[in-house]
Amino acid sequence: MDNDRNTLSTLNKLIETCKDGEYGFQSCAEHVNSAELRSLFTARATDCRQAATELQALVRQCGGEPEDSGSATGAMHRGWVAVKGTLAGYSDLAMLEECERGEDAALERYREALEEDLPPQVRMVVERQFEGVKRNHMQVRTLRDQARAAHD
């Protein structure tokens, strides 16, 4: 029973993480100047929403009640995106830096989840999603580095 409770708790934390990513990417998409970044961030927001939906289905399969919102930390991150954007004039570089910070948090949450004793079907989904988070993080970091180089 404890393992079930731990699995549900882990999945719900990941759902919050995905919701945070969705809201964070969407917020950044609304404030970037580059159409290419807007498209990328909108796509990443959609990916996060789909990942949350997949995890919510797993929670239901495990007999639990899925989380349906982001975390308090995520809300603060979104607030920080707005504050930093105002201060920085919503530069594309500032938005990329915020997205990278959000993806750093997502990587950590997924690493923590994979340290848990998860049922095989759950572990498989979490591992696959973790690979996607790593790809997102690398893509955002590369774009951030390019924006920094162009800014200097």
Side-chain angles (χ1 to χ4, degrees):
M1 187 60 144
D2 273 350
N3 192 29
D4 290 346
R5 212 173 5 252
N6 288 342
T7 297
L8 292 173
S9 174
T10 297
L11 287 172
N12 276 320
K13 284 179 189 173
L14 291 178
I15 291 167
E16 288 178 348
T17 299
C18 292
K19 290 294 189 181
D20 292 346
E22 176 188 353
Y23 301 140
F25 277 123
Q26 194 58 50
S27 178
C28 287
E30 292 167 7
H31 296 101
V32 293
N33 296 313
S34 162
E36 179 185 344
L37 286 177
R38 186 173 308 109
S39 176
L40 171 73
F41 291 158
T42 300
R44 292 293 80 80
T46 299
D47 292 345
C48 290
R49 182 173 50 256
Q50 290 169 341
T53 299
E54 183 177 29
L55 294 170
Q56 288 167 328
L58 275 177
V59 168
R60 285 186 200 93
Q61 287 172 14
C62 293
E65 185 64 33
E67 183 61 54
D68 65 355
S69 63
S71 66
T73 303
M76 289 188 312
H77 172 69
R78 290 186 297 280
W80 175 242
V81 167
V83 169
K84 185 171 184 173
T86 300
L87 296 175
Y90 289 116
S91 76
D92 289 357
L93 176 58
M95 293 300 101
L96 283 162
E97 288 170 343
E98 280 306 297
C99 286
E100 184 183 19
R101 202 166 66 88
E103 289 300 279
D104 286 343
L107 282 171
E108 183 60 29
R109 278 270 182 89
Y110 272 87
R111 282 188 188 110
E112 289 170 2
L114 289 169
E115 290 173 6
E116 299 293 326
D117 182 24
L118 301 172
Q121 76 277 16
V122 170
R123 177 167 295 282
M124 186 176 71
V125 171
V126 172
E127 286 174 347
R128 181 174 37 75
Q129 288 190 2
F130 181 52
E131 291 304 313
V133 173
K134 289 193 290 190
R135 279 191 306 276
N136 287 347
H137 184 268
M138 187 56 67
Q139 184 178 31
V140 168
R141 177 181 287 168
T142 300
L143 290 168
R144 184 224 47 209
D145 288 347
Q146 290 170 354
R148 280 185 181 166
H151 192 264
D152 291 338

